[in-house]
Amino acid sequence: MRRPQFFRDRPISDPLTQVVRLLKPRALLWKQLDTRGPWAIHYPSLQDTIFVLVTEGRARLQLPGRPTRTMVTGDFLMMTAPEEWMMGDSEETKPIRFQPPQTYPSARSIVTDPSSTAPTFKLLGGRFSFDRTHLGLLKDILPSVVEIGFATSGATRVASLLKMIGTEAWEGRPGSALVIERLLEILLIEVMRYQGEEQANVNPGLLAGLADPQIAACLEALHQDPSRDWSVATLAKAAGASRSVFAQRFCEVVGLPPMQYLLKWRMALAKEMISQGVSISEAAFACGYQSASGFSVAFTRHVGCPPSHLRPTQN
């Protein structure tokens, strides 16, 4: 059977790349803090994914529900939809409330005392925004808090990117805005990879599955051909394992049964296709359904609204 136009226009890629493409990440860098002397900032809760990088000095970090700790040069922190949190030189300093800069990319929030002999502290901060249609996928590949210390084992590639971002941000060379934007996109992928490699045995999900050779083979197969009439038996064959062993292992590693994962991925693709104007019947076929009515019932049950509600509005 002929592949739908939606898939013919897109080269086959690995599962993580496919998920990130659906998320459509956009990054904004704040050249946020350059200070000497007492300072403390109270950050508001946000719905986006934010990140901070200490490029010089050290600071006290206070996150809700976590022990207070010190961040030093090279330390990196990423948080998804964070609650209110604080950074500062000490617990005695009264914090000011952070106001995101309105210009891009050279705005700075500077809290400084020129007469102070205290060491300089510099911090870069920013945020990633994602297509809200697929925010559920983000939760599958990133925990709410990711911390990567400058001396963390295995963080070499992330550290190299952070160093380049810091250099571009503070030097302000021609073309820095574009370079920073691309580096941040690569950084997001590297953080996801790092998190998956470090936490594969702790946090079930897509990245944990991709770290397991047998489960990875299965995931790549169903991501490449979501319209196929898959069963647990055929997926187990792709993974090179017995049906019972595969089903149990998949659930342990990925966090849900294989057919439920397949349904979730198909619905994510369907949401993307319909929001881009693909017909409901073509979306149904691309997701392995033989009729638009059967697809619409499954879509409504899984997503919470009929597929017609996601059609782009006509001007």
Side-chain angles (χ1 to χ4, degrees):
M1 299 178 71
R2 192 168 63 97
R3 285 168 61 84
Q5 184 69 38
F6 181 83
F7 290 139
R8 297 202 305 273
D9 292 344
R10 289 161 173 76
I12 293 174
S13 55
D14 66 272
L16 180 58
T17 299
Q18 291 179 326
V19 170
V20 172
R21 282 176 175 167
L22 289 188
L23 287 170
K24 302 180 184 70
R26 296 184 60 193
L28 173 66
L29 181 72
W30 301 319
K31 197 178 286 185
Q32 181 176 319
L33 186 61
D34 181 358
T35 182
R36 179 179 296 171
W39 68 276
I41 298 179
H42 182 197
Y43 294 89
S45 60
L46 292 172
Q47 290 304 307
D48 287 326
T49 295
I50 66 97
F51 61 89
V52 294
L53 166 66
V54 177
T55 58
E56 185 176 340
R58 58 178 53 229
R60 179 175 176 270
L61 172 68
Q62 185 176 341
L63 301 179
R66 291 175 176 247
T68 300
R69 74 171 187 87
T70 299
M71 291 187 72
V72 300
T73 303
D75 282 357
F76 174 81
L77 169 70
M78 180 180 285
M79 297 184 288
T80 300
E83 299 177 12
E84 296 183 357
W85 56 288
M86 290 189 294
M87 289 188 75
D89 67 319
S90 73
E91 59 182 340
E92 285 78 25
T93 305
K94 184 177 180 180
I96 63 172
R97 191 163 184 85
F98 174 71
Q99 295 295 329
Q102 300 301 310
T103 57
Y104 173 77
S106 60
R108 302 186 187 184
S109 296
I110 302 177
V111 184
T112 189
D113 178 2
S115 65
S116 174
T117 59
T120 298
F121 176 80
K122 291 184 178 181
L123 178 139
L124 297 178
R127 63 180 173 87
F128 287 100
S129 59
F130 302 92
D131 187 330
R132 303 198 69 81
T133 303
H134 300 292
L135 283 183
L137 296 176
L138 182 64
K139 297 177 182 179
D140 292 339
I141 54 179
L142 271 182
S144 58
V145 178
V146 177
E147 296 183 73
I148 304 177
F150 79 99
T152 303
S153 174
T156 305
R157 287 170 63 88
V158 173
S160 298
L161 284 166
L162 295 175
K163 184 176 181 180
M164 286 190 287
I165 291 169
T167 299
E168 288 290 336
W170 292 114
E171 291 185 359
R173 300 168 61 193
S176 284
L178 182 59
V179 172
I180 289 170
E181 183 179 338
R182 296 295 179 263
L183 287 174
L184 287 174
E185 291 174 354
I186 299 171
L187 173 66
L188 178 65
I189 300 293
E190 287 297 339
V191 170
M192 290 176 177
R193 285 173 169 176
Y194 172 82
Q195 182 66 23
E197 292 166 358
E198 291 293 309
Q199 301 294 323
N201 296 324
V202 179
N203 297 322
L206 173 63
L207 292 175
L210 294 176
D212 182 297
Q214 284 189 324
I215 303 304
C218 163
L219 289 169
E220 289 168 2
L222 65 84
H223 272 255
Q224 288 182 11
D225 192 5
S227 62
R228 179 176 171 180
D229 185 19
W230 290 105
S231 66
V232 175
T234 55
L235 289 172
K237 185 177 181 180
S242 69
R243 185 182 185 281
S244 58
V245 170
F246 163 76
Q248 180 178 350
R249 179 63 180 164
F250 190 101
C251 195
E252 290 173 351
V253 174
V254 180
L256 68 170
M259 299 310 292
Q260 189 174 335
Y261 179 89
L262 175 59
L263 173 63
K264 186 175 182 178
W265 178 239
R266 284 173 166 174
M267 292 300 109
L269 290 175
K271 287 193 289 184
E272 180 69 10
M273 286 186 280
I274 293 169
S275 67
Q276 291 186 13
V278 174
S279 69
I280 292 176
S281 59
E282 185 170 7
F285 169 69
C287 293
Y289 289 84
Q290 299 304 310
S291 69
S293 59
F295 164 76
S296 296
V297 170
F299 186 96
T300 303
R301 184 187 302 118
H302 183 84
V303 178
C305 67
S308 58
H309 286 194
L310 271 67
R311 284 175 172 168
T313 56
Q314 302 293 325
N315 294 329

